[in-house]
Amino acid sequence: MSDVLVRLEHVSKSFPRVARRRDRMRALWRLLAGRVPADPAVVLDDISLEVRRGESLGIIGENGAGKSTLLKVLTGVLAPTSGVVRVAGTTAALLELGAGFHPEFTGRENVQMAGTLMGFTPAQLREKLDDILAFADIGRYVDEPVKHYSSGMVVRLGFALVAARRPDLLITDEVLAVGDEAFQRKCVRWIEDYLGGGGTLMLVSHSMYHVQKLCRRAAWVHQGRLRALGAADEVTQAYLAHQEARVAADGQAAQNARAGTEFQVRSLALAGLADRIPAVIESGDTLAIAAEVRSRDGREPVLAVGLARADGSALHGVTSQMDGARGRAAGDGNYAFRFEYPALPLQPGSYLVRVHAMDPEGLRLFDTMECPFTVRGTTREWGALKLGHRWPDGGDA
Amino acid sequence: MTAPPTAAALRPLARWLNLLRHFVVRDIQQRYLGSLWGGLWALLQPLLLFGIYAVVFVQILKVRLPATAGGDFVPFLVASLWPWTAFAEALNRSSNAIPEHASLLAKVAMPRAVLVVAPVTASFALHGIGFAAVIAAAALLGREWHLAGIPAAVALFVLLYGFALGLSCALAALQVFVRDLQHVLAQVITLWFFLTPVFFTREMVPPALGRVLDLNPVTVYIEGIRGALVMGQQPGIATFGIALATTALAALVGAFVFRRLSRHFEDFL
């Protein structure tokens, strides 16, 4: 079936500015008279898009671009200021699980209430109640007030409700940090099953990797407008190029500010991977790094190279001086360094390459540049490092 | 997909009523959550109030009712105090219903009017039951009511409920924009109580106040219910006509204001 599940036609949303007291009264009179509030702040501007049944759409954009407002308009929480929203089916969002719960009531009572809000009839609810409670698996807590729940338990109950609803459209974001790991696996299995069964997904994400992996199409929302809508690969690449240009502009400004230091890192590139940001490398491949350092007075600099996890914690570091390596003089006080990590022993994940320009004595650190990259691969091991290991009494490792 | 069109048209209404039922039950549960005697308070509260008034008016002020009002103060007060309590409580509890549920409205798409209709319905249901119980108890103790007046009294009670619904919808919607309403409403309701013939009759007050009573929309319901139950006066066409018109007007205004404003609640919460 390829019928249209969601259709937005020229949808705009603006919020009235009501900082001053007088504004509230004026807005009230205008609304009662059937007009729109004066001088609104536009959050969504003329957005039109369609999602067909069984199709997945990724929504990307910077913070504050209007993604959340778009979702609220879509789920009916917010009424659009102008335009038409049509959703031909049920929707459920995994964004605010347990949002409608009342802390004073028990889990069972809240499931009944939230289920009614989701559109269950009393008969359906009676039929599904046991399934829901079994899926949530919170034991005797179902008959305790929700105020005594851990946040994980609230979320479990909320997810169980969504799972029982089996909505036509599922809205979610990348962070599916639902309860403990066993429950997360249960959720992921459910979502895979849902998608396999022809479910429709709308994914709001900052992870281009997830959007490319899970969605066929993507919509890029930029300052309230739909900047691009199309195949996920194309839209995510256009978005990344835009981000990169912005980062480069920031970087250029920073570089100009640093130009006066004695030893300055002019460039850093992950060889052969420059066409993608962040760079992607297969686990076990060779990571080749090229950096150029400019020395103001022509003295030969030392380069420090290191690997760090995405959070900045160091994994490894070494300087050219330790290894007796030197940069190649490239004229005008510039020195080019090449460096390789053969058979990169990192698990799949996000990492940073970090280089520092140091004085010829290798003592003082002058300048730093970082480049993020992603290691791809499949493994069931965890942690940052891929370490050789074996079980002396047998095993495949 | 293949359901007959009437069933499809009924589905939103069925969902609406289903939601209303849930919110009414929750409203009642929430009132008595954690209290030892629970729902008994629904009956005890107006009973206590009634006891206070009875002592003040009968024992201290020695109020004498005109013979046309039946002479006996106790049944006279019963017949007007319970409908008034239902009305005043409905207004009080529903006026802040939208800001109270702001966090719910920010996350869940739902028909907003349910949030206002539920506390009004709960108040009238609880005090309607309390009213019936008190009348039945008094009858068992030997008090004679005019049983023929019961249908008319019930009809007027339902019309008063409709009036409260309309008024509450308008107030609750305005309250989102102008929070000041909440602060004056309690005082306004107290004043309204004294300007409504709950514990006195027209004959007992100066003629100037009589005109105020005529302008007070609640007067017609209270006088009608009391007349039917206590004095055996069947409310005439005029009484029902005025009551019906007042309820219809309130419902229309309430629906208009709520419809116009509810789309924008989220922007002002």
Side-chain angles (χ1 to χ4, degrees):
Chain A
M1 279 217 288
S2 68
D3 53 331
V4 176
L5 187 64
V6 179
R7 172 175 287 151
L8 302 188
E9 289 169 17
H10 306 291
V11 168
S12 297
K13 174 72 193 173
S14 48
F15 290 103
R17 297 178 208 265
V18 286
R20 289 173 305 165
R21 285 182 213 175
R22 251 200 1 246
D23 295 341
R24 286 184 90 88
M25 273 319 275
R26 194 184 303 156
L28 173 60
W29 289 123
R30 287 188 73 97
L31 288 177
L32 278 175
R35 290 180 293 168
V36 290
D39 183 30
V42 178
V43 184
L44 291 181
D45 188 6
D46 192 28
I47 292 200
S48 300
L49 59 85
E50 271 183 11
V51 181
R52 291 171 183 281
R53 201 175 286 274
E55 186 178 78
S56 300
L57 179 75
I59 297 180
I60 55 178
E62 288 152 23
N63 288 330
K67 300 189 298 285
S68 311
T69 308
L70 181 63
L71 289 189
K72 282 190 166 185
V73 167
L74 207 109
T75 51
V77 169
L78 280 180
T81 309
S82 63
V84 183
V85 179
R86 284 209 189 83
V87 181
T90 53
T91 58
L94 290 181
L95 304 173
E96 313 222 33
L97 290 171
F101 288 178
H102 191 293
E104 296 286 345
F105 290 97
T106 68
R108 195 187 294 273
E109 286 165 340
N110 269 301
V111 164
Q112 277 162 349
M113 187 74 207
T116 307
L117 280 171
M118 291 176 96
F120 279 118
T121 64
Q124 285 172 328
L125 208 53
R126 265 195 302 281
E127 185 190 315
K128 302 243 167 132
L129 189 62
D130 287 341
D131 287 349
I132 294 171
L133 296 183
F135 193 102
D137 191 23
I138 54 172
R140 64 180 175 84
Y141 274 95
V142 285
D143 293 311
E144 295 262 333
V146 164
K147 64 180 173 186
H148 293 156
Y149 283 26
S150 70
S151 55
M153 284 195 271
V154 171
V155 165
R156 289 167 82 128
L157 212 51
F159 191 94
L161 261 164
V162 173
R165 184 84 193 102
R166 274 208 161 274
D168 295 316
L169 173 67
L170 183 71
I171 298 172
T172 184
D173 58 8
E174 68 218 272
V175 203
L176 200 64
V178 184
D180 54 23
E181 233 171 286
F183 192 73
Q184 273 186 31
R185 274 204 295 279
K186 207 163 163 182
C187 295
V188 169
R189 260 208 311 278
W190 181 84
I191 290 179
E192 281 170 355
D193 181 47
Y194 168 82
L195 290 177
T200 312
L201 179 75
M202 218 177 228
L203 176 74
V204 182
S205 182
H206 288 284
S207 155
M208 297 307 119
Y209 175 71
H210 279 130
V211 171
Q212 287 170 353
K213 185 166 184 265
L214 288 170
C215 302
R216 212 169 59 76
R217 296 170 70 229
W220 172 13
V221 182
H222 184 68
Q223 293 175 354
R225 300 189 69 104
L226 200 57
R227 176 117 170 210
L229 175 68
D233 283 342
E234 290 167 24
V235 175
T236 48
Q237 265 158 29
Y239 175 68
L240 286 173
H242 168 80
Q243 290 290 88
E244 195 189 336
R246 241 190 49 173
V247 171
D250 291 351
Q252 191 59 48
Q255 195 162 15
N256 291 342
R258 292 192 324 244
T261 57
E262 281 173 64
F263 300 97
Q264 180 201 358
V265 180
R266 302 266 300 175
S267 69
L268 167 64
L270 305 188
L273 302 168
D275 52 330
R276 299 188 69 167
I277 302 281
V280 175
I281 180 172
E282 296 292 333
S283 180
D285 277 6
T286 296
L287 179 68
I289 298 164
E292 200 172 65
V293 177
R294 181 191 159 85
S295 162
R296 199 173 57 185
D297 56 9
R299 290 192 298 149
E300 188 178 332
V302 164
L303 185 75
V305 183
L307 283 180
R309 300 178 72 148
D311 63 8
S313 56
L315 288 170
H316 176 252
V318 67
T319 69
S320 57
Q321 192 192 35
M322 292 178 194
D323 295 344
R326 296 176 59 184
R328 185 173 51 83
D332 203 17
N334 288 333
Y335 289 84
F337 291 86
R338 294 203 302 139
F339 179 85
E340 288 182 356
Y341 281 110
L344 190 68
L346 293 181
Q347 301 271 18
S350 297
Y351 300 91
L352 292 173
V353 166
R354 200 182 272 162
V355 297
H356 308 281
M358 302 177 83
D359 61 6
E361 292 73 38
L363 293 175
R364 287 170 64 204
L365 192 149
F366 284 91
D367 192 15
T368 299
M369 194 178 275
E370 288 180 349
C371 180
F373 70 102
T374 299
V375 176
R376 208 159 51 181
T378 50
T379 178
R380 291 168 63 190
E381 298 167 19
W382 62 92
L385 296 178
K386 199 158 71 181
L387 296 178
H389 58 277
R390 61 196 167 100
W391 303 89
D393 296 329
D396 295 334
Chain B
M1 304 271 159
T2 52
T6 45
L10 277 175
R11 213 171 298 134
L13 182 66
R15 171 162 189 249
W16 205 94
L17 289 176
N18 192 21
L19 267 179
L20 177 63
R21 193 174 56 89
H22 262 269
F23 272 97
V24 168
V25 170
R26 172 162 290 199
D27 186 87
I28 294 173
Q29 283 176 338
Q30 224 170 326
R31 288 180 197 212
Y32 306 113
L33 212 61
S35 71
L36 217 51
W37 288 357
L40 217 53
W41 280 112
L43 189 59
L44 287 177
Q45 247 163 2
L47 213 54
L48 285 173
L49 188 65
F50 169 76
I52 293 169
Y53 285 142
V55 168
V56 169
F57 292 120
V58 180
Q59 303 297 325
I60 301 176
L61 297 178
K62 308 223 183 288
V63 174
R64 303 286 310 163
L65 279 180
T68 50
D72 193 352
F73 195 78
V74 170
F76 174 88
L77 190 56
V78 164
S80 48
L81 190 61
W82 262 263
W84 169 264
T85 308
F87 174 76
E89 198 184 280
L91 237 51
N92 238 334
R93 296 188 64 96
S94 61
S95 61
N96 203 35
I98 303 294
E100 217 171 276
H101 290 93
S103 62
L104 186 66
L105 287 176
K107 285 159 195 160
V108 183
M110 60 174 296
R112 279 115 203 251
V114 169
L115 296 177
V116 181
V117 175
V120 175
T121 306
S123 293
F124 272 83
L126 281 177
H127 295 299
I129 292 168
F131 195 22
V134 167
I135 286 180
L140 284 178
L141 292 173
R143 165 74 212 175
E144 279 182 24
W145 301 93
H146 291 272
L147 297 180
I150 288 180
V154 170
L156 283 170
F157 192 73
V158 171
L159 282 174
L160 180 62
Y161 165 60
F163 176 67
L165 274 182
L167 198 58
S168 297
C169 282
L171 282 176
L174 290 173
Q175 159 76 9
V176 175
F177 294 80
V178 193
R179 301 288 164 93
D180 314 51
L181 271 182
Q182 195 192 353
H183 304 298
V184 293
L185 193 66
Q187 281 69 33
V188 168
I189 289 177
T190 307
L191 180 66
W192 201 343
F193 172 70
F194 286 111
L195 295 180
T196 305
V198 175
F199 59 86
F200 56 84
T201 67
R202 257 165 216 283
E203 292 87 341
M204 298 160 69
V205 294
L209 191 58
R211 271 194 291 285
V212 175
L213 297 186
D214 285 334
L215 289 174
N216 178 352
V218 184
T219 303
V220 64
Y221 305 96
I222 301 281
E223 283 187 342
I225 292 172
R226 188 166 56 203
L229 286 178
V230 180
M231 301 156 212
Q233 306 160 344
Q234 283 294 347
I237 299 288
T239 302
F240 271 114
I242 295 170
L244 203 60
T246 312
T247 298
L249 184 69
L252 282 177
V253 170
F256 172 80
V257 171
F258 201 83
R259 238 168 229 271
R260 274 278 160 92
L261 299 183
S262 66
R263 280 167 59 86
H264 301 273
F265 282 169
E266 183 60 24
D267 307 346
F268 289 87
L269 282 173

